[in-house]
Amino acid sequence: MATGAGMISGASGQPVQLSFPLPKAPDTRIHVHLTIQTTSILLFLTTAMNGDTSTVPLGSFVYALPDRLNPGQTLSTPLYTYESSVEFTTRLAKLLARKTKKAVYVGNSISFASAGLGGTVEEEMEGFKKVVEVVMEKVQKSESGQVNGS
């Protein structure tokens, strides 16, 4: 389960910071910095191994918003690209924009290199699903008016 400090973002837009283990790589954690506003979501993601204090590249930064005329589609544009993370970041931003019906900004420097098999497609998809699950849980709590994170 996700653990972290902070409050669920509400109208004040207080950021939530939490982390959870990368699926199949318990020594590596995905760190999330999430700010939920009335009309937008700002999400930053990175990974770190336990005890690792090294720096990681900035990663990609993507903006996505739902298409009001075609609800099954989303529009996106990369604002900053880093080749190894732009596809993951774009997919995540578009999915969150479609599910939340809000504009979404996603900054992503997650690395799956420390995952059990070195970052296979399956490991990346498991990480993707876990991020979506955690973010959507926080968004739903925010929309329902709950103010305590768990």
Side-chain angles (χ1 to χ4, degrees):
M1 191 69 197
T3 61
M7 302 286 280
I8 298 297
S9 301
S12 63
Q14 292 293 328
V16 176
Q17 296 184 51
L18 53 98
S19 68
F20 50 88
L22 187 62
K24 296 187 180 176
D27 288 344
T28 302
R29 298 185 70 79
I30 296 176
H31 294 270
V32 177
H33 183 99
L34 173 65
T35 305
I36 304 168
Q37 298 285 343
T38 305
T39 59
S40 66
I41 294 172
L42 178 61
L43 173 65
F44 293 102
L45 303 165
T46 192
T47 49
M49 291 187 68
N50 289 340
D52 187 11
T53 58
S54 64
T55 59
V56 295
L58 177 63
S60 296
F61 190 58
V62 174
Y63 172 68
L65 68 154
D67 186 340
R68 303 280 185 219
L69 300 175
N70 187 355
Q73 297 294 317
T74 52
L75 308 170
S76 70
T77 189
L79 301 174
Y80 181 83
T81 61
Y82 187 74
E83 192 61 37
S84 65
S85 65
V86 69
E87 183 183 333
F88 183 95
T89 309
T90 301
R91 284 191 336 239
L92 183 60
K94 290 173 93 171
L95 179 67
L96 291 174
R98 190 172 64 244
K99 284 182 166 267
T100 64
K101 297 182 180 21
K102 296 181 182 198
V104 177
Y105 296 86
V106 178
N108 173 39
S109 60
I110 289 178
S111 171
F112 292 95
S114 63
L117 298 173
T120 64
V121 173
E122 292 80 14
E123 289 169 325
E124 186 175 317
M125 288 308 299
E126 287 176 4
F128 184 89
K129 288 176 188 176
K130 183 66 176 177
V131 168
V132 171
E133 175 186 313
V134 168
V135 169
M136 288 307 298
E137 175 186 326
K138 298 298 182 187
V139 169
Q140 290 165 353
K141 283 183 180 180
S142 174
E143 290 174 351
S144 70
Q146 295 180 7
V147 291
N148 293 341
S150 57

